[in-house]
Amino acid sequence: MTGFTQPVAQDVIDAMARLKDVAVDTPIVRSDRLDAMTGARVFIKLENLQRTGAFKFRGAYNCLSRLDRTTCPDGVVAYSTGNHGQAISTVGRMLGIPTTVVMPSNAPANKIKKARENGARIVLYDRERQSREAVAAELAKEGQYAVVPPGDHHHVIAGQGTVAYEALQSLSARLGRDAVDMIVVPCGGGGLSAGTILAVEAAGAKAQVWASEPADFDDTRRSLASGQRETNPAGRVSICDALLAPVPAELPFSINGERLSGVLTADDATVMETMRFLFDECRVVVEPGGAVGLAGVIAQARSADADRLKGKTILVVASGGNVDPQLFATAILGEASSASA
Amino acid sequence: MTGFTQPVAQDVIDAMARLKDVAVDTPIVRSDRLDAMTGARVFIKLENLQRTGAFKFRGAYNCLSRLDRTTCPDGVVAYSTGNHGQAISTVGRMLGIPTTVVMPSNAPANKIKKARENGARIVLYDRERQSREAVAAELAKEGQYAVVPPGDHHHVIAGQGTVAYEALQSLSARLGRDAVDMIVVPCGGGGLSAGTILAVEAAGAKAQVWASEPADFDDTRRSLASGQRETNPAGRVSICDALLAPVPAELPFSINGERLSGVLTADDATVMETMRFLFDECRVVVEPGGAVGLAGVIAQARSADADRLKGKTILVVASGGNVDPQLFATAILGEASSASA
């Protein structure tokens, strides 16, 4: 935790004010079929309809709009599996801040292309052989940049917290105070989970916060169990490209480790099936990592622990919608394809 | 016009009250890329996120909730290319009214399946060889049903008008009164266009209302030019299955013929491209007929008349999202596929 400032609940409220009329107040949808499948009352917050197609815009804007430009005359460096990089490049363009984005060379082509279109300089690296932090640090030596990590920054975490804060405001107005029992969010490094925990406190709500992870990238689940940050074994693959951080980020885990209620998981086949469900039932495009929250709920509903969901009111965040067309086509074409995924 | 009651602006306001807390107040999205493509400021109303995945829910609910059940003890018969039938069957289930839906045998399989799941009796007919009105009339002889047509009913038209009324309320609050210059809606039989015209009057707005049609099903465009209801030549095909009415419906045309500002058209390739754009840029699933509004705007922006759009604020309705996965996959996989469509 050296050098980090831990964000607090008030930071989420401040971020809400800063994001007003800048971020999209994204819609919340529901489905009779989903409620029947889960035995719960499920609300889905569509952050795939956020600017840049992912909640990452919120953290990026909250962070970059507070930047002291005299400390980083050459702009901002971000390392990102895609959505954070796209958010940083978009916000950089909006605020006139030069951006450099470090991305894995196997990131979806559409994510690389869009960051480039925003005027960002793109530096690719090999995810299997290089550390992205080392690449970013090397770049930072070339000039006076600020490095904006996707999770380890209090302004980023506070910005991500506005997803749940906004949703809780909306659902309180519709359903009454304390109507929401659980909030489930996709989890890679853990920034969204940590922000959500602060949002619940800021809203004075009682909801439990659960993370949901790809089954083979369950570092936060194992870290919660052991009490320390556990890494994912090398060499694993998943379609959830947005959630492949090798280890929980330090600052988010300082919050998640104490206050997360638990972690759900979903395998890739369930994620593909969930993408198809969201296509068919809600007519929206959600990327694999963005669908992991709902996929975790669906997996839970089929498990021996299904009773945990019964009668609950659950807010699930669909966190992003930037997916390669080929993968999305495979997901929506169904049975045969998703079984082989 | 024998037997028809022409709806008026106040009917749209009454329908708004009836649909409150029943229909989804669907979100409105925009895109920098789209504004750059068109030279206009374009807002897209996402009726694909409406209940049943299409605006048709509004007209169906407004109509069925006002039904005098003593006049139709055996329920309701609807003939529909799909979305109207799905809306009627869903509303019938909500209100406890038995429904029979007459559908063309080549309607998308998912639309037939969903109407059946809602408990509707489905009667299929051959679109090329049979008249759907005749099939429905024959059925009505079996029992005491009310026939609810997709356009020729004043409560249906008034319900469809709530799409634009709701959007004008929202955009007035954001952009100021009279900010919207044009409203563009997909057009099959013309019910949505007619309702939109009444909505503009009800809102005291100044926006022009334009319909948008598939290029090979431009019956409303030709009818506007000739001053009488023109039919589409038999044997034509289009991917826009929701918009293949053979002729403008009588009651809507009594409004559209007098008060539509004009009709845009788009060919199937442009519609496929627009579906891909909405997938990639807005992360939503829009069916071909639902995308024709925006496709018409995009086609216009590429035409010799592109200047007509410059600097305008345009509200486009994306009217539905019920699309077969295979067709959607073809659309989003792009160049080669859409060129061959």
Side-chain angles (χ1 to χ4, degrees):
Chain A
M1 285 285 296
T2 328
F4 290 132
T5 309
Q6 198 175 43
V8 295
Q10 181 61 41
D11 293 324
V12 177
I13 296 170
D14 293 346
M16 271 301 287
R18 189 160 287 255
L19 287 167
K20 187 171 155 53
D21 299 329
V22 178
V24 175
D25 180 350
T26 54
I28 296 172
V29 297
R30 54 164 305 284
S31 138
D32 288 340
R33 208 170 125 206
L34 181 58
D35 287 0
M37 279 167 67
T38 57
R41 182 166 63 156
V42 180
F43 294 90
I44 307 170
K45 173 86 166 161
L46 295 178
E47 281 292 305
N48 58 319
L49 300 190
Q50 189 50 264
R51 292 176 80 149
T52 72
F55 75 98
K56 296 279 189 180
F57 175 83
R58 296 173 183 262
Y61 189 87
N62 191 49
C63 191
L64 264 62
S65 68
R66 293 168 190 272
L67 207 61
D68 177 357
R69 289 295 308 281
T70 60
T71 65
C72 52
D74 299 311
V76 164
V77 173
Y79 47 98
S80 165
T81 49
N83 284 331
H84 175 63
Q86 196 173 320
I88 291 288
S89 66
T90 299
V91 173
R93 193 189 48 173
M94 288 168 68
L95 300 175
I97 300 172
T99 55
T100 301
V101 178
V102 181
M103 287 186 169
S105 50
N106 61 347
N110 60 341
K111 292 187 181 179
I112 297 173
K113 180 166 165 279
K114 283 185 182 173
R116 238 178 220 135
E117 285 171 358
N118 278 324
R121 178 167 68 121
I122 309 296
V123 177
L124 299 175
Y125 78 103
D126 181 338
R127 177 144 53 185
E128 297 299 318
R129 291 173 31 215
Q130 292 175 283
S131 138
R132 60 186 188 178
E133 289 83 354
V135 176
E138 192 63 33
L139 285 167
K141 285 182 201 156
E142 292 175 12
Q144 281 185 277
Y145 302 98
V147 177
V148 179
D152 275 331
H153 195 294
H154 65 290
H155 290 325
V156 172
I157 293 173
Q160 320 304 36
T162 62
V163 177
Y165 191 83
E166 185 177 281
L168 286 168
Q169 283 186 318
S170 164
L171 290 175
S172 291
R174 282 160 64 179
L175 308 174
R177 205 176 144 75
D178 288 329
V180 177
D181 299 303
M182 280 176 78
I183 306 177
V184 181
V185 302
C187 181
L192 181 57
S193 312
T196 302
I197 287 169
L198 300 179
V200 169
E201 182 187 342
K206 297 209 169 76
Q208 291 189 342
V209 178
W210 288 68
S212 187
E213 293 184 303
D216 284 346
F217 288 80
D218 62 342
D219 47 307
T220 292
R221 189 184 67 74
R222 289 181 288 104
S223 300
L224 226 59
S226 74
Q228 61 185 22
R229 295 191 300 141
E230 305 287 346
T231 56
N232 291 308
R236 291 195 174 172
V237 293
S238 164
I239 56 171
C240 302
D241 59 281
L243 303 180
L244 306 187
V247 60
E250 193 175 350
L251 181 58
F253 191 71
S254 73
I255 298 169
N256 292 330
E258 302 287 330
R259 297 165 69 184
L260 262 186
S261 291
V263 181
L264 306 175
T265 61
D267 60 22
D268 279 2
T270 307
V271 170
M272 290 287 265
E273 181 193 339
T274 302
M275 289 166 67
R276 184 177 192 192
F277 178 87
L278 288 162
F279 161 82
D280 188 49
E281 183 73 7
C282 303
R283 293 96 186 169
V284 288
V285 176
V286 180
E287 66 183 275
V292 160
L294 184 57
V297 170
I298 289 172
Q300 180 82 7
R302 291 171 180 165
S303 77
D305 280 339
D307 279 352
R308 187 179 283 162
L309 303 176
K310 295 282 181 251
K312 294 286 201 308
T313 296
I314 306 174
L315 168 66
V316 180
V317 177
S319 56
N322 294 310
V323 52
D324 259 359
Q326 186 62 61
L327 179 62
F328 195 75
T330 303
I332 65 175
L333 292 176
E335 311 304 338
S337 311
S338 72
S340 69
Chain B
M1 285 286 297
T2 327
F4 290 132
T5 309
Q6 198 175 44
V8 296
Q10 181 62 41
D11 293 324
V12 177
I13 296 170
D14 294 347
M16 271 301 287
R18 190 160 286 255
L19 287 168
K20 186 171 155 53
D21 298 329
V22 178
V24 175
D25 181 351
T26 54
I28 297 171
V29 296
R30 55 164 304 285
S31 138
D32 288 341
R33 208 170 125 205
L34 181 58
D35 287 0
M37 277 166 68
T38 57
R41 181 165 66 156
V42 181
F43 294 89
I44 307 170
K45 173 86 166 161
L46 294 179
E47 281 292 304
N48 58 318
L49 300 190
Q50 188 50 264
R51 292 176 80 150
T52 73
F55 74 98
K56 295 278 187 180
F57 176 83
R58 296 173 184 261
Y61 189 88
N62 191 48
C63 191
L64 265 62
S65 67
R66 293 168 191 270
L67 207 60
D68 177 358
R69 290 294 309 280
T70 61
T71 64
C72 52
D74 299 310
V76 163
V77 173
Y79 47 96
S80 166
T81 47
N83 284 332
H84 175 64
Q86 195 173 319
I88 291 287
S89 66
T90 300
V91 173
R93 193 188 50 172
M94 289 169 66
L95 300 175
I97 300 172
T99 54
T100 302
V101 178
V102 181
M103 285 185 170
S105 50
N106 61 348
N110 60 341
K111 293 187 180 179
I112 296 173
K113 179 165 165 280
K114 283 186 181 172
R116 243 182 215 131
E117 285 170 358
N118 278 324
R121 179 166 69 118
I122 308 296
V123 176
L124 298 175
Y125 77 102
D126 180 337
R127 177 145 53 186
E128 296 299 319
R129 292 173 30 214
Q130 294 175 280
S131 138
R132 61 187 189 178
E133 288 83 355
V135 177
E138 192 62 33
L139 284 167
K141 285 182 200 157
E142 291 175 14
Q144 282 185 275
Y145 303 97
V147 178
V148 178
D152 275 330
H153 195 295
H154 65 290
H155 290 325
V156 172
I157 293 173
Q160 320 305 36
T162 63
V163 177
Y165 191 83
E166 185 177 281
L168 286 169
Q169 283 186 317
S170 165
L171 290 175
S172 291
R174 282 160 65 180
L175 309 174
R177 205 176 145 75
D178 288 328
V180 178
D181 300 303
M182 279 176 81
I183 306 178
V184 181
V185 302
C187 182
L192 180 58
S193 312
T196 302
I197 287 168
L198 300 179
V200 169
E201 183 186 342
K206 297 210 168 78
Q208 291 190 340
V209 178
W210 288 69
S212 187
E213 292 184 304
D216 283 346
F217 289 79
D218 62 341
D219 47 307
T220 292
R221 188 184 67 74
R222 287 181 290 104
S223 300
L224 226 60
S226 75
Q228 61 186 24
R229 294 191 301 141
E230 304 288 344
T231 57
N232 291 308
R236 290 195 176 173
V237 294
S238 165
I239 55 170
C240 302
D241 59 281
L243 303 180
L244 306 188
V247 61
E250 195 176 348
L251 182 56
F253 190 72
S254 74
I255 297 168
N256 292 331
E258 301 288 330
R259 297 165 68 184
L260 264 185
S261 291
V263 181
L264 307 175
T265 61
D267 60 23
D268 279 2
T270 306
V271 170
M272 291 286 267
E273 181 194 340
T274 302
M275 290 166 67
R276 183 176 194 192
F277 178 86
L278 287 162
F279 160 84
D280 187 49
E281 183 73 7
C282 302
R283 293 96 186 169
V284 288
V285 176
V286 180
E287 66 183 275
V292 160
L294 183 57
V297 170
I298 290 172
Q300 180 82 7
R302 291 170 180 165
S303 76
D305 280 339
D307 280 351
R308 187 178 284 165
L309 304 177
K310 296 282 180 254
K312 294 287 199 310
T313 297
I314 305 175
L315 168 66
V316 180
V317 177
S319 55
N322 295 310
V323 52
D324 260 359
Q326 186 62 63
L327 180 63
F328 195 74
T330 303
I332 65 177
L333 291 176
E335 310 303 338
S337 310
S338 72
S340 70

